[in-house]
Amino acid sequence: MIRALVLSFFILPLAAAEKRIAVFVGLCDNATQGIVKVGAKIGDGDKPADNLYWGCSDGLKSHFKASKRWKLEKTDTATGDDRILERLTFRHVSGDAVLVAEAWRGSKLKECYEACEKAMLSGQNDLVTFIGHNVLMDVAIPAPEQKAKGKTDAIVLCCISDRYFRQRLEDAGVRPVVLTTQLMYPGSFILHDALEPWLQGKARGSLRDAAGLAYARNQKIKPAAAKGVFARLDP
């Protein structure tokens, strides 16, 4: 009996490691970003509560708080960095993943992306996401010289991210899993829906399908057209 218990202990499957997801949101900012101007309230990069990419219904905070798949565990407005206006921690209902999202001041978009890329290379995250305006359209940022310390996936939700970010990430040893091919709206519903197949370990084509369907529903366009907004990264 004791021998059987010992044997059963050693053949029990090991619990899967908790997935770590980091999300960097550069708040929409009419004053400092090369964007088509939006309403003053949703385009104020110093006020996350009303911001297009954070507080609005499709913004990260609002969309993930309303989700049945993610539960808010912590809200931190005293981040210790005046560039980061709010930090949220969510846990997936499966218990298999924790997502930490930061709202960066819109005028600090370059620094937001630099911090995002640093997180991609650190080896401390399984997936790192950037959401916001395509900063490389406004300013040059040298490609990283070092290679990623671990296996990290990346999602970049901004206009034409495939053209601007794909090569620099792949050269650094980071694997892009969702990138965009067109001018687009980087609502957090895209990330939300793409995370489900990613957590299940599915191929990048499945993430593209999920992103496309989410975009089609939000923009009220045909799924085939919406899918074309996202780069083909198969397998």
Side-chain angles (χ1 to χ4, degrees):
M1 181 67 176
I2 294 175
R3 185 171 182 271
L5 288 172
V6 171
L7 287 173
S8 67
F9 173 81
F10 281 107
I11 63 174
L12 285 174
L14 294 174
E18 186 176 75
K19 296 291 186 182
R20 295 162 299 181
I21 303 165
V23 184
F24 294 77
V25 179
L27 297 182
C28 180
D29 193 47
N30 285 333
T32 63
Q33 297 170 8
I35 59 174
V36 176
K37 304 304 181 188
V38 299
K41 189 174 183 180
I42 64 175
D44 186 337
D46 294 327
K47 296 180 179 179
D50 298 315
N51 197 266
L52 179 63
Y53 298 148
W54 191 261
C56 287
S57 59
D58 294 333
L60 189 135
K61 181 177 183 177
S62 297
H63 194 82
F64 275 74
K65 280 185 69 176
S67 171
K68 295 180 180 179
R69 306 298 297 165
W70 295 89
K71 301 301 179 184
L72 180 64
E73 288 194 334
K74 185 178 180 182
T75 300
D76 187 4
T77 54
T79 66
D81 186 332
D82 65 6
R83 301 170 301 175
I84 304 170
L85 300 176
E86 191 167 22
R87 182 182 293 116
L88 305 177
T89 302
F90 292 90
R91 185 175 297 275
H92 193 259
V93 292
S94 66
D96 294 338
V98 171
L99 182 152
V100 178
E102 294 181 346
W104 280 67
R105 198 179 297 275
S107 59
K108 302 299 181 182
L109 187 64
K110 177 175 180 288
E111 292 163 71
C112 174
Y113 181 73
E114 289 173 335
C116 178
E117 202 161 69
K118 184 177 179 180
M120 292 177 184
L121 302 176
S122 70
Q124 297 177 1
N125 303 282
D126 297 287
L127 173 67
V128 179
T129 298
F130 175 79
I131 295 175
H133 170 58
N134 186 333
V135 63
L136 295 184
M137 288 181 171
D138 291 354
V139 62
I141 300 176
E145 296 180 359
Q146 70 272 32
K147 294 286 186 179
K149 294 180 180 178
K151 293 182 179 180
T152 303
D153 290 345
I155 292 176
V156 183
L157 296 179
C158 65
C159 294
I160 325 177
S161 63
D162 184 55
R163 182 195 305 172
Y164 284 85
F165 295 88
R166 183 174 182 174
Q167 193 64 56
R168 68 185 285 138
L169 296 180
E170 291 179 340
D171 287 348
V174 175
R175 187 180 80 131
V177 294
V178 178
L179 297 174
T180 69
T181 61
Q182 304 174 23
L183 300 177
M184 52 84 69
Y185 167 45
S188 287
F189 55 87
I190 302 168
L191 172 64
H192 178 275
D193 285 17
L195 282 176
E196 292 302 311
W198 180 81
L199 286 169
Q200 297 167 25
K202 293 186 177 181
R204 291 187 284 185
S206 295
L207 276 69
R208 181 175 183 247
D209 290 343
L213 287 174
Y215 202 70
R217 288 193 300 270
N218 181 269
Q219 297 291 296
K220 296 179 173 56
I221 59 177
K222 292 183 178 180
K227 187 175 177 179
V229 171
F230 302 96
R232 188 181 298 279
L233 298 170
D234 297 336

